[in-house]
Amino acid sequence: MELPEAFVRYTREVMGEDRFARYLAAFDEETPVSIRLAHPRPLPKGGEVVPWCPLGYYLPERPNFTFDPLLHAGCYYVQEAASMFLHHILTETPLPWGGAGGRLPLPWGGDGGGLSLDLCAAPGGKSTLLRSLLPDDCILFSNEPVRNRAQVLLENVTKWGYPRHYVTNNYPRDYRRSKLKFDLILCDVPCSGEGMFRKDPQTVSEWSPQNVEKCWQLQRDIVSDAWACLNDGGLLIYSTCTFNTKENEENVRWMQQTFDAEILPVSVRPEWNIQGSLLPDFHAPVYRFIPGITRSEGLFVCVLRKGGTPSPSSRKHTHSLLSGPVPSAVAKLGLSLLEPPALHVDGPCVELTYQQAVAYLRRESLTLPPDAPRGLVEVTFHGHRLGTVKNLGSRANNLYPKEWRIKSTYVPQTYQPVIIE
Protein backbone atom coordinates (compact mmCIF):
# COMPACT_ATOMS: atom_id res chain seq x y z
CA MET A 1 0.00 0.00 0.00
CA GLU A 2 1.31 3.45 -0.92
CA LEU A 3 1.00 5.77 2.06
CA PRO A 4 0.97 9.60 1.78
CA GLU A 5 4.50 10.99 1.89
CA ALA A 6 3.61 13.55 4.56
CA PHE A 7 2.12 10.80 6.73
CA VAL A 8 5.19 8.58 6.35
CA ARG A 9 7.58 11.41 7.17
CA TYR A 10 5.70 12.57 10.25
CA THR A 11 4.76 9.12 11.60
CA ARG A 12 8.30 7.78 11.25
CA GLU A 13 9.50 10.69 13.34
CA VAL A 14 6.78 10.20 15.97
CA MET A 15 7.12 6.42 16.28
CA GLY A 16 10.86 6.10 15.76
CA GLU A 17 12.50 3.79 13.23
CA ASP A 18 11.88 0.50 15.03
CA ARG A 19 8.19 1.05 15.75
CA PHE A 20 7.57 2.46 12.30
CA ALA A 21 9.29 -0.49 10.60
CA ARG A 22 7.11 -2.93 12.56
CA TYR A 23 4.04 -0.88 11.67
CA LEU A 24 4.89 -0.98 7.95
CA ALA A 25 5.49 -4.73 8.13
CA ALA A 26 1.95 -5.18 9.42
CA PHE A 27 0.57 -4.23 6.00
CA ASP A 28 1.92 -7.56 4.71
CA GLU A 29 0.17 -9.51 7.47
CA GLU A 30 -3.43 -10.69 7.76
CA THR A 31 -5.66 -8.22 9.59
CA PRO A 32 -6.78 -9.72 12.92
CA VAL A 33 -10.44 -10.72 13.15
CA SER A 34 -12.06 -10.56 16.57
CA ILE A 35 -15.47 -10.83 18.19
CA ARG A 36 -16.85 -10.10 21.63
CA LEU A 37 -19.41 -12.48 23.12
CA ALA A 38 -22.54 -11.29 24.90
CA HIS A 39 -22.21 -14.01 27.54
CA PRO A 40 -19.60 -16.61 28.50
CA ARG A 41 -19.83 -19.73 26.35
CA PRO A 42 -17.42 -22.34 24.96
CA LEU A 43 -14.39 -21.03 23.10
CA PRO A 44 -15.14 -20.33 19.41
CA LYS A 45 -13.54 -22.95 17.19
CA GLY A 46 -9.87 -22.08 16.83
CA GLY A 47 -10.35 -18.85 18.77
CA GLU A 48 -7.84 -17.19 21.11
CA VAL A 49 -8.82 -14.96 24.01
CA VAL A 50 -8.14 -11.23 23.62
CA PRO A 51 -5.92 -10.75 26.70
CA TRP A 52 -7.51 -7.49 27.91
CA CYS A 53 -11.13 -8.64 27.45
CA PRO A 54 -12.23 -12.07 28.74
CA LEU A 55 -15.22 -12.23 26.37
CA GLY A 56 -13.17 -11.17 23.35
CA TYR A 57 -11.73 -13.71 20.91
CA TYR A 58 -9.46 -13.63 17.90
CA LEU A 59 -10.72 -15.90 15.11
CA PRO A 60 -8.36 -17.85 12.83
CA GLU A 61 -10.04 -16.42 9.72
CA ARG A 62 -12.85 -14.05 8.79
CA PRO A 63 -16.15 -15.92 8.38
CA ASN A 64 -19.17 -14.62 6.48
CA PHE A 65 -20.70 -12.86 9.48
CA THR A 66 -23.67 -11.55 7.48
CA PHE A 67 -25.15 -15.01 7.18
CA ASP A 68 -24.77 -16.05 10.81
CA PRO A 69 -28.18 -15.67 12.48
CA LEU A 70 -26.53 -15.63 15.91
CA LEU A 71 -24.83 -12.33 15.05
CA HIS A 72 -28.23 -10.81 14.27
CA ALA A 73 -29.62 -12.31 17.48
CA GLY A 74 -27.05 -10.35 19.52
CA CYS A 75 -25.04 -13.36 20.69
CA TYR A 76 -21.77 -11.64 19.75
CA TYR A 77 -20.45 -8.41 18.27
CA VAL A 78 -17.74 -8.12 15.62
CA GLN A 79 -15.32 -5.69 17.26
CA GLU A 80 -11.71 -4.73 16.71
CA ALA A 81 -9.58 -6.06 19.57
CA ALA A 82 -8.03 -2.75 20.64
CA SER A 83 -11.49 -1.24 21.21
CA MET A 84 -12.16 -4.00 23.74
CA PHE A 85 -9.51 -2.42 25.96
CA LEU A 86 -12.44 -0.43 27.34
CA HIS A 87 -13.38 -3.59 29.27
CA HIS A 88 -10.00 -3.57 31.00
CA ILE A 89 -10.24 0.15 31.74
CA LEU A 90 -13.64 -0.16 33.38
CA THR A 91 -12.65 -3.15 35.48
CA GLU A 92 -9.31 -1.71 36.60
CA THR A 93 -9.96 2.01 37.08
CA PRO A 94 -11.11 3.22 40.50
CA LEU A 95 -14.54 4.70 39.86
CA PRO A 96 -15.42 8.13 41.30
CA TRP A 97 -18.17 6.65 43.44
CA GLY A 98 -15.88 3.99 44.88
CA GLY A 99 -14.74 0.53 43.88
CA ALA A 100 -13.84 -0.98 40.53
CA GLY A 101 -15.05 -3.82 38.41
CA GLY A 102 -17.56 -2.04 36.24
CA ARG A 103 -20.50 -2.26 38.65
CA LEU A 104 -21.89 1.13 39.54
CA PRO A 105 -23.90 1.66 42.76
CA LEU A 106 -27.04 3.78 42.73
CA PRO A 107 -25.92 7.40 43.09
CA TRP A 108 -29.47 8.56 43.87
CA GLY A 109 -30.18 6.01 46.57
CA GLY A 110 -33.12 3.86 45.56
CA ASP A 111 -34.46 6.34 42.99
CA GLY A 112 -32.47 5.33 39.96
CA GLY A 113 -29.20 4.10 38.56
CA GLY A 114 -26.05 5.88 37.39
CA LEU A 115 -26.01 7.85 34.16
CA SER A 116 -23.42 7.31 31.39
CA LEU A 117 -22.97 8.76 27.92
CA ASP A 118 -21.19 7.53 24.80
CA LEU A 119 -21.02 10.80 22.90
CA CYS A 120 -19.75 9.60 19.48
CA ALA A 121 -21.03 6.06 19.61
CA ALA A 122 -21.60 4.65 16.10
CA PRO A 123 -21.42 1.89 15.12
CA GLY A 124 -21.82 0.71 18.72
CA GLY A 125 -18.93 -1.53 19.75
CA LYS A 126 -17.85 0.46 22.79
CA SER A 127 -21.46 1.24 23.71
CA THR A 128 -22.58 -2.38 23.76
CA LEU A 129 -19.47 -3.31 25.74
CA LEU A 130 -20.18 -0.58 28.30
CA ARG A 131 -23.83 -1.57 28.55
CA SER A 132 -22.75 -5.15 29.27
CA LEU A 133 -20.75 -3.94 32.28
CA LEU A 134 -23.44 -1.69 33.75
CA PRO A 135 -26.14 -3.10 36.03
CA ASP A 136 -29.65 -3.12 34.62
CA ASP A 137 -30.80 -0.18 36.72
CA CYS A 138 -28.25 2.21 35.20
CA ILE A 139 -29.01 4.36 32.16
CA LEU A 140 -26.75 4.66 29.13
CA PHE A 141 -27.26 7.19 26.35
CA SER A 142 -25.45 6.36 23.11
CA ASN A 143 -25.30 9.33 20.79
CA GLU A 144 -24.34 9.78 17.16
CA PRO A 145 -24.63 13.16 15.38
CA VAL A 146 -24.74 11.75 11.81
CA ARG A 147 -28.24 10.46 11.07
CA ASN A 148 -27.45 7.41 8.92
CA ARG A 149 -24.73 6.32 11.36
CA ALA A 150 -27.19 6.80 14.22
CA GLN A 151 -29.52 4.32 12.52
CA VAL A 152 -26.72 1.74 12.38
CA LEU A 153 -26.06 2.41 16.05
CA LEU A 154 -29.75 1.91 16.84
CA GLU A 155 -29.77 -1.45 15.05
CA ASN A 156 -26.73 -2.72 16.95
CA VAL A 157 -27.97 -1.45 20.32
CA THR A 158 -31.43 -2.96 19.74
CA LYS A 159 -30.00 -6.35 18.76
CA TRP A 160 -27.68 -6.32 21.78
CA GLY A 161 -30.89 -6.21 23.79
CA TYR A 162 -29.92 -4.64 27.12
CA PRO A 163 -32.41 -2.53 29.10
CA ARG A 164 -32.23 1.23 29.76
CA HIS A 165 -30.01 1.86 26.75
CA TYR A 166 -31.13 4.78 24.59
CA VAL A 167 -29.87 6.04 21.23
CA THR A 168 -29.90 9.76 20.43
CA ASN A 169 -29.06 11.76 17.30
CA ASN A 170 -27.62 15.04 18.54
CA TYR A 171 -24.52 17.22 18.50
CA PRO A 172 -22.40 17.38 21.67
CA ARG A 173 -23.50 20.98 22.24
CA ASP A 174 -27.11 19.76 22.48
CA TYR A 175 -26.18 17.61 25.46
CA ARG A 176 -24.44 20.58 27.03
CA ARG A 177 -27.62 22.65 26.63
CA SER A 178 -29.74 19.87 28.14
CA LYS A 179 -28.06 20.36 31.56
CA LEU A 180 -27.83 16.59 32.06
CA LYS A 181 -24.85 15.51 34.15
CA PHE A 182 -23.09 12.18 33.70
CA ASP A 183 -20.77 10.13 35.89
CA LEU A 184 -19.02 8.51 32.92
CA ILE A 185 -18.60 9.83 29.37
CA LEU A 186 -16.92 8.08 26.45
CA CYS A 187 -15.48 10.34 23.76
CA ASP A 188 -14.31 8.19 20.86
CA VAL A 189 -13.93 11.32 18.79
CA PRO A 190 -13.94 11.69 15.00
CA CYS A 191 -10.33 11.61 13.85
CA SER A 192 -8.07 11.47 10.80
CA GLY A 193 -8.31 7.67 10.86
CA GLU A 194 -4.64 6.79 10.51
CA GLY A 195 -5.14 3.65 12.58
CA MET A 196 -7.66 2.40 9.99
CA PHE A 197 -5.29 2.45 7.01
CA ARG A 198 -4.66 -1.30 7.09
CA LYS A 199 -8.29 -2.23 7.68
CA ASP A 200 -9.91 0.28 5.34
CA PRO A 201 -7.69 1.45 2.44
CA GLN A 202 -10.20 4.17 1.53
CA THR A 203 -9.13 6.10 4.63
CA VAL A 204 -5.68 6.53 3.05
CA SER A 205 -7.10 8.60 0.19
CA GLU A 206 -9.06 10.73 2.67
CA TRP A 207 -6.01 11.59 4.81
CA SER A 208 -4.26 14.94 4.60
CA PRO A 209 -2.31 17.23 6.96
CA GLN A 210 -5.20 19.68 6.62
CA ASN A 211 -7.64 17.06 7.87
CA VAL A 212 -5.42 16.39 10.89
CA GLU A 213 -5.56 20.13 11.71
CA LYS A 214 -9.34 20.14 11.33
CA CYS A 215 -9.74 17.04 13.50
CA TRP A 216 -7.73 18.11 16.55
CA GLN A 217 -9.65 21.38 16.74
CA LEU A 218 -13.01 19.61 16.39
CA GLN A 219 -11.96 17.14 19.08
CA ARG A 220 -11.32 19.99 21.52
CA ASP A 221 -14.77 21.39 20.83
CA ILE A 222 -16.34 17.99 21.52
CA VAL A 223 -14.35 17.47 24.72
CA SER A 224 -15.28 20.96 25.95
CA ASP A 225 -18.97 20.12 25.59
CA ALA A 226 -18.46 16.71 27.19
CA TRP A 227 -16.53 18.14 30.13
CA ALA A 228 -19.41 20.53 30.86
CA CYS A 229 -21.72 17.48 31.03
CA LEU A 230 -19.49 15.58 33.47
CA ASN A 231 -20.25 15.42 37.18
CA ASP A 232 -17.53 16.48 39.58
CA GLY A 233 -15.40 13.40 40.20
CA GLY A 234 -16.67 11.83 36.98
CA LEU A 235 -14.61 9.98 34.37
CA LEU A 236 -14.04 10.90 30.73
CA ILE A 237 -12.49 8.26 28.48
CA TYR A 238 -10.91 9.87 25.41
CA SER A 239 -9.94 7.80 22.39
CA THR A 240 -9.03 8.06 18.72
CA CYS A 241 -7.97 5.62 16.00
CA THR A 242 -5.04 7.70 14.85
CA PHE A 243 -1.28 8.00 15.49
CA ASN A 244 -0.27 11.67 15.38
CA THR A 245 0.34 13.46 18.66
CA LYS A 246 -1.82 16.49 17.77
CA GLU A 247 -5.02 14.45 18.07
CA ASN A 248 -3.67 12.39 20.96
CA GLU A 249 -1.05 13.48 23.49
CA GLU A 250 -1.28 17.17 22.65
CA ASN A 251 -5.04 17.13 23.11
CA VAL A 252 -4.70 15.27 26.40
CA ARG A 253 -2.14 17.79 27.63
CA TRP A 254 -4.55 20.56 26.62
CA MET A 255 -7.33 18.88 28.69
CA GLN A 256 -4.98 18.60 31.63
CA GLN A 257 -4.06 22.28 31.46
CA THR A 258 -7.48 23.66 30.51
CA PHE A 259 -9.71 21.63 32.83
CA ASP A 260 -7.19 20.68 35.51
CA ALA A 261 -8.03 17.09 34.61
CA GLU A 262 -6.34 14.22 36.42
CA ILE A 263 -4.94 11.59 34.06
CA LEU A 264 -5.44 8.15 35.55
CA PRO A 265 -3.12 5.17 35.05
CA VAL A 266 -4.39 1.76 33.93
CA SER A 267 -2.39 -1.36 34.67
CA VAL A 268 -1.16 -3.24 31.60
CA ARG A 269 1.02 -6.28 31.08
CA PRO A 270 4.32 -6.05 29.17
CA GLU A 271 3.42 -8.91 26.86
CA TRP A 272 0.46 -6.92 25.51
CA ASN A 273 2.98 -4.56 23.85
CA ILE A 274 0.77 -1.53 24.43
CA GLN A 275 2.81 1.62 23.89
CA GLY A 276 2.85 4.81 25.98
CA SER A 277 3.26 8.48 25.14
CA LEU A 278 5.20 9.32 21.99
CA LEU A 279 5.33 13.04 22.71
CA PRO A 280 8.68 14.17 24.15
CA ASP A 281 8.44 15.61 27.66
CA PHE A 282 4.88 14.30 28.11
CA HIS A 283 4.92 11.19 30.25
CA ALA A 284 1.29 10.92 31.41
CA PRO A 285 -0.31 7.44 31.32
CA VAL A 286 -1.77 7.11 27.82
CA TYR A 287 -2.15 3.90 25.84
CA ARG A 288 -1.37 3.31 22.17
CA PHE A 289 -2.15 0.24 20.08
CA ILE A 290 0.00 0.05 16.94
CA PRO A 291 -0.49 -2.64 14.25
CA GLY A 292 2.56 -4.86 14.02
CA ILE A 293 3.31 -4.28 17.71
CA THR A 294 -0.04 -5.02 19.32
CA ARG A 295 -2.38 -7.57 17.80
CA SER A 296 -4.90 -4.98 16.73
CA GLU A 297 -5.54 -1.97 14.58
CA GLY A 298 -4.61 1.51 15.78
CA LEU A 299 -6.07 3.01 18.95
CA PHE A 300 -5.11 5.76 21.39
CA VAL A 301 -6.94 5.96 24.73
CA CYS A 302 -6.65 7.93 27.94
CA VAL A 303 -8.73 8.12 31.15
CA LEU A 304 -9.31 11.50 32.78
CA ARG A 305 -11.07 12.41 36.01
CA LYS A 306 -12.80 15.71 36.72
CA GLY A 307 -11.86 17.41 39.97
CA GLY A 308 -14.14 17.64 42.97
CA THR A 309 -16.42 15.10 44.56
CA PRO A 310 -19.77 13.86 43.29
CA SER A 311 -22.56 16.24 44.30
CA PRO A 312 -25.83 14.69 45.54
CA SER A 313 -27.67 17.86 44.51
CA SER A 314 -26.33 17.63 40.95
CA ARG A 315 -27.42 14.03 40.66
CA LYS A 316 -30.84 14.80 42.10
CA HIS A 317 -31.21 17.60 39.56
CA THR A 318 -30.34 15.24 36.73
CA HIS A 319 -32.74 12.68 38.13
CA SER A 320 -35.50 15.29 38.17
CA LEU A 321 -34.80 16.10 34.51
CA LEU A 322 -35.28 12.42 33.66
CA SER A 323 -38.32 11.83 35.85
CA GLY A 324 -41.11 9.93 34.19
CA PRO A 325 -40.78 7.98 30.94
CA VAL A 326 -37.31 8.59 29.51
CA PRO A 327 -38.46 9.24 25.89
CA SER A 328 -40.76 12.11 26.90
CA ALA A 329 -38.20 13.50 29.37
CA VAL A 330 -35.49 13.48 26.72
CA ALA A 331 -37.76 15.28 24.25
CA LYS A 332 -38.40 18.04 26.80
CA LEU A 333 -34.64 18.52 27.08
CA GLY A 334 -34.36 19.16 23.35
CA LEU A 335 -32.66 15.86 22.56
CA SER A 336 -33.63 13.67 19.62
CA LEU A 337 -34.27 10.09 20.74
CA LEU A 338 -34.45 7.33 18.14
CA GLU A 339 -37.22 4.86 18.88
CA PRO A 340 -36.25 1.22 18.32
CA PRO A 341 -38.56 -0.97 16.25
CA ALA A 342 -40.76 -3.51 18.01
CA LEU A 343 -38.45 -6.42 17.30
CA HIS A 344 -39.78 -8.86 19.92
CA VAL A 345 -43.11 -9.72 21.52
CA ASP A 346 -43.97 -11.79 24.56
CA GLY A 347 -45.58 -14.88 23.17
CA PRO A 348 -45.03 -18.31 21.65
CA CYS A 349 -41.79 -19.15 19.85
CA VAL A 350 -41.09 -21.21 16.76
CA GLU A 351 -37.59 -22.52 16.00
CA LEU A 352 -36.35 -21.99 12.44
CA THR A 353 -33.95 -24.02 10.36
CA TYR A 354 -30.83 -22.29 9.11
CA GLN A 355 -32.29 -21.71 5.65
CA GLN A 356 -35.49 -20.34 7.18
CA ALA A 357 -33.50 -18.05 9.49
CA VAL A 358 -31.59 -16.57 6.54
CA ALA A 359 -34.85 -16.13 4.63
CA TYR A 360 -36.31 -14.35 7.65
CA LEU A 361 -33.30 -12.02 7.85
CA ARG A 362 -33.85 -11.27 4.14
CA ARG A 363 -37.41 -10.30 5.10
CA GLU A 364 -38.93 -13.01 2.93
CA SER A 365 -42.24 -14.69 3.71
CA LEU A 366 -42.07 -17.93 5.66
CA THR A 367 -44.28 -20.98 6.02
CA LEU A 368 -44.31 -22.28 9.58
CA PRO A 369 -45.28 -25.82 10.62
CA PRO A 370 -49.04 -26.53 10.55
CA ASP A 371 -49.19 -26.74 14.35
CA ALA A 372 -47.48 -23.35 14.86
CA PRO A 373 -49.61 -20.84 16.81
CA ARG A 374 -51.50 -18.22 14.81
CA GLY A 375 -50.92 -14.51 15.26
CA LEU A 376 -47.74 -12.84 16.45
CA VAL A 377 -44.99 -15.42 16.94
CA GLU A 378 -41.34 -15.09 17.91
CA VAL A 379 -38.96 -16.93 15.59
CA THR A 380 -35.72 -18.30 17.01
CA PHE A 381 -32.51 -19.91 15.83
CA HIS A 382 -30.68 -22.25 18.22
CA GLY A 383 -33.04 -20.91 20.87
CA HIS A 384 -32.06 -17.25 20.35
CA ARG A 385 -34.72 -14.75 19.30
CA LEU A 386 -34.44 -13.18 15.87
CA GLY A 387 -37.71 -11.26 15.72
CA THR A 388 -41.40 -11.57 14.99
CA VAL A 389 -43.75 -12.85 12.29
CA LYS A 390 -47.52 -12.79 11.99
CA ASN A 391 -48.50 -16.36 11.30
CA LEU A 392 -51.62 -16.65 9.13
CA GLY A 393 -51.35 -20.41 8.69
CA SER A 394 -50.83 -20.55 4.93
CA ARG A 395 -47.93 -18.12 5.30
CA ALA A 396 -46.20 -15.99 7.92
CA ASN A 397 -45.83 -12.28 7.25
CA ASN A 398 -42.30 -11.18 8.01
CA LEU A 399 -42.11 -8.28 10.49
CA TYR A 400 -38.32 -7.96 10.55
CA PRO A 401 -37.36 -4.27 10.14
CA LYS A 402 -37.07 -3.52 6.44
CA GLU A 403 -33.96 -1.35 6.82
CA TRP A 404 -32.11 -4.20 8.57
CA ARG A 405 -32.71 -6.90 5.99
CA ILE A 406 -29.84 -8.80 4.34
CA LYS A 407 -29.62 -7.46 0.79
CA SER A 408 -27.04 -9.91 -0.58
CA THR A 409 -28.33 -12.40 -3.14
CA TYR A 410 -25.77 -15.01 -2.07
CA VAL A 411 -27.43 -18.23 -0.89
CA PRO A 412 -25.41 -20.15 1.74
CA GLN A 413 -26.00 -23.88 1.56
CA THR A 414 -24.80 -24.88 5.00
CA TYR A 415 -24.43 -23.20 8.36
CA GLN A 416 -20.86 -22.37 9.36
CA PRO A 417 -21.13 -21.46 13.07
CA VAL A 418 -18.84 -18.73 14.40
CA ILE A 419 -19.42 -19.58 18.06
CA ILE A 420 -20.09 -22.89 19.73
CA GLU A 421 -23.57 -23.36 21.22
Side-chain angles (χ1 to χ4, degrees), residues 200-215:
D200 183 4
Q202 181 180 346
T203 58
V204 178
S205 63
E206 296 171 352
W207 185 91
S208 69
Q210 293 77 18
N211 193 36
V212 171
E213 291 295 313
K214 178 181 176 181
C215 285

Side-chain angles (χ1 to χ4, degrees), residues 305-319:
R305 181 160 57 199
K306 192 172 186 176
T309 56
S311 167
S313 62
S314 174
R315 285 176 171 159
K316 287 180 180 178
H317 175 67
T318 296
H319 186 215

